[in-house]
Amino acid sequence: MCQHQPQCPSPYASDRVSAHVVVAHPEQGWSLLCNGVVLFEDLGLLLPDGSAMR
């Protein structure tokens, strides 16, 4: 999915939130990262497989 060099971390890596933002909706409180992670402003995460993390 990631076209950056070096590639962004996997959505399952511990540094997954360091991936590039591809869509930002600060007015709604979330951003989509290029590794498929949805990052919420309260620091919650939604992974590509649908699992949620805090």
Side-chain angles (χ1 to χ4, degrees), residues 28-50:
Q28 296 177 356
W30 63 273
S31 296
L32 174 64
L33 306 180
C34 73
N35 58 4
V37 171
V38 177
L39 177 63
F40 296 96
E41 69 181 16
D42 68 356
L43 300 180
L45 302 171
L46 184 59
L47 300 178
D49 66 5

Side-chain angles (χ1 to χ4, degrees), residues 2-13:
C2 179
Q3 302 300 315
H4 303 101
Q5 291 301 325
Q7 279 196 327
C8 290
S10 155
Y12 304 102

Side-chain angles (χ1 to χ4, degrees), residues 18-33:
S18 64
H20 291 256
V21 173
V22 293
V23 176
H25 286 280
E27 72 284 358
Q28 296 177 356
W30 63 273
S31 296
L32 174 64
L33 306 180

